[in-house]
DNA sequence: AAGTGGTCTAGACCACGGT
DNA sequence: CCGTGGTCTAGACCACTTC
């Protein structure tokens, strides 16, 4: 795929400040000539970089690099996450197969008669309790799950053992106070704030296969995401 | 733009169940013939629907509608938000021009000498205090702001009065406990949980122009977003 | 008028999944 | 093998911005 190569090269040039926000990039025809491809292929590569938020373009004006600030914020954020060198540990507290209660029936789009694998995990970060997670997986969609599957790599099992393709995950974030189970495992007291994240994962077909309720120690977790307000040109 | 028309027609057919998850869509050549366009134009339309999560396609197999569950969840969520018929009210508590402290200098990428408009709002939902927001806008980027600009429509001012193009907004979400100011205005007591959302908005050029710190009554707000886990084909 | 990016074409070839 | 979608071409025309 030639366009991926162009995406990579142009990304590198932006990182190396060969292209920067003060001047327009070479126009599409020049880039096409340089890379020995057609203009449409260049445009496809630039469209991907636009989607990534690295560049933008205006009819009649040209294509420009987005100013450093934004990218810096993202990269420094990621760097912070990496350089802190956290050690993570996931430990299973319970594992069972049961019938779903009403919330699960609704979220996983199944009936009360179908079985659901239910597991509870506690996560540690640098040996400190960090999150309490409840996982629910419909047996009909992802059959043959064992305790080991969940302790190792569920996604690998789904993709390579079952041959299913993964889709998107929906995140719903809210703030709550610690409940009794949280207080027991997350080492916190009354009225301790909790960042509650409900994650619903789908196969590529749109079938929901995993519902997670995750309670994070408020001080140890935040979520960041980007949102395009308007797509006006 | 022909491809937008095709996006619209195919969307309608999916909503009307003329295309559904049980069968593949007509192949790209058939659609091209039907709409009287080239195959590339059909593909561009389908790419947009893929990006929206409405369909997916496999080389060698065809193009398919994503199962209803996922879309239902999104649309029912939106419907819930709409049918609750909330009444919203935004009230300004303070407005001033000042020099930025260190956090603002960093977030807005400005120096300590530059001026920043600082405003505080309280939001009500159905007459109940709902959120407390602190807004910060660098004068150099968005000049000429008055109290009225902020009470009315800042985005309209930026786009149509100043002629600037808007870019993305970054959201950073965490959970905290109510501070003294929250307790005063949000009508809550000690250790009340707060959903804290930092919003940093950029112009299309990547220049940050608005930093907001928003404290929501935990019980009255949640955030939902989607994330592609992997783009494997 | 000149230069830019956005759209669209009519074809070609390739990679993949199923037979 | 065939049918599918993914990539790529070499051009054309259009919309927009600036001079």
């Amino acid at each position: 795929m030639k366009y991926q190569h162009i995406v990579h090269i142009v990304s590198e040039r932006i990182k190396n400040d060969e292209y920067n926000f003060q001047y327009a990039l070479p126009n599409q025809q020049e880039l096409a000539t340089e890379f020995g491809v057609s203009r449409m292929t260049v445009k496809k590569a630039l469209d991907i970089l636009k989607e990534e938020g690295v560049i933008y373009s205006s009819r009649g004006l040209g294509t420009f690099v987005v100013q450093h600030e934004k990218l810096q914020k993202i990269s420094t954020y990621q760097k912070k996450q990496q350089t802190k060198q956290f050690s993570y540990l996931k430990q299973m507290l319970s594992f069972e197969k049961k019938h779903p209660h009403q919330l699960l029936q609704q979220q996983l789009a199944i009936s009360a008669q179908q079985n659901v694998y239910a597991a509870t995990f506690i996560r540690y970060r640098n040996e400190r309790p960090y999150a309490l997670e409840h996982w629910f997986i419909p047996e009909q969609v992802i059959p043959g799950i064992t305790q080991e599957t969940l302790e190792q790599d569920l996604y690998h099992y789904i993709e390579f053992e079952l041959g299913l393709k993964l889709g998107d995950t929906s995140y719903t974030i809210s703030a709550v106070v610690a409940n009794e189970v949280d207080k027991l495992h997350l080492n916190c007291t009354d009225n301790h704030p909790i960042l509650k994240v409900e994650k619903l994962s789908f196969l590529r077909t749109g079938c929901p296969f995993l519902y997670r309720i995750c309670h994070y120690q408020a001080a140890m977790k935040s979520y960041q995401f980007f949102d395009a307000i308007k797509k006006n040109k």
Side-chain angles (χ1 to χ4, degrees), chain A residues 57 63 92 98 122-123 148 180 185 206 215 223 227 230:
Chain A
S57 51
T63 303
M92 187 183 282
K98 64 176 189 181
I122 183 160
R123 288 184 186 274
E148 287 71 34
E180 293 306 315
H185 291 104
H215 282 200
Y223 266 86
D227 200 27
K230 286 182 185 179

Side-chain angles (χ1 to χ4, degrees), chain A residues 200-211:
Chain A
L200 185 57
S201 300
F202 301 86
L203 299 177
R204 196 177 52 159
T205 61
C207 177
F209 73 91
L210 170 62
Y211 178 60

Side-chain angles (χ1 to χ4, degrees), chain A residues 97-101 105 108-117 137-141:
Chain A
K97 192 155 76 174
K98 64 176 189 181
H99 292 299
H101 53 262
Q105 291 170 40
L108 295 172
I110 57 177
S111 71
Q113 284 74 44
Q114 293 178 259
N115 283 319
V116 167
Y117 299 104
I137 304 166
E139 186 183 29
Q140 200 180 31
V141 180

